[in-house]
Amino acid sequence: MKRVELLRKRALRFLEDAKRALQDGFYDIAGFYAEQAIQLYSKALLLELAGYVPTTHDIRDVLGLISKALPENLKQSVRAFSRKYRRELAELVDIYTNARYGPRILTREEALIALEVAEKLLGLLNTVREKVREVERHQ
């Protein structure tokens, strides 16, 4: 699917841009780019799994939709991540909202946390994607 690959490539580009912005001291931009990376990557996976991209921008909602589209044995890893990083995911939603609608200045620490959570989530989603593909190959 070309659209899935396009979303995934854009997500990875946002992740690289977040790292660069962090290095350059643009912490609010780094946080926003980290959020965009997880939003696009998550939506790419949902498109691949369920055939649609939701209109929501709340990563917690997208993760819930992904979880619903997964086999039972994979749902738990996404749900566990969402529980473990509940506060950080809420913070990423706030970063997105404030970047669009109001000024918000992030500290270096906040930007680092956003980037770390984004990298962990992309890693998890990639692992989930590979496991789903493996199951499909064996059917």
Side-chain angles (χ1 to χ4, degrees), residues 61-86:
D61 293 342
V62 179
L63 291 176
L65 295 169
I66 288 171
S67 178
K68 288 179 184 177
L70 290 172
E72 198 59 42
N73 63 323
L74 295 175
K75 286 181 184 190
Q76 293 311 313
S77 59
V78 174
R79 289 179 178 163
F81 185 94
S82 293
R83 279 191 303 275
K84 181 176 181 178
Y85 295 101
R86 176 180 292 136

Side-chain angles (χ1 to χ4, degrees), residues 3-20 30 32-45 59 115 118-119 121-122 125:
R3 190 166 176 214
V4 169
E5 284 307 312
L6 178 62
L7 286 171
R8 194 174 290 118
K9 284 180 183 179
R10 286 181 179 171
L12 295 175
R13 178 60 193 253
F14 269 117
L15 187 64
E16 291 306 312
D17 289 345
K19 292 175 186 178
R20 220 174 351 271
F32 177 74
Y33 286 165
E35 190 283 335
Q36 289 293 280
I38 62 173
Q39 190 179 143
L40 292 179
Y41 203 91
S42 299
K43 288 179 176 183
L45 180 58
I59 187 59
L115 186 57
E119 288 178 319
L121 181 55
L122 266 57
L125 295 177

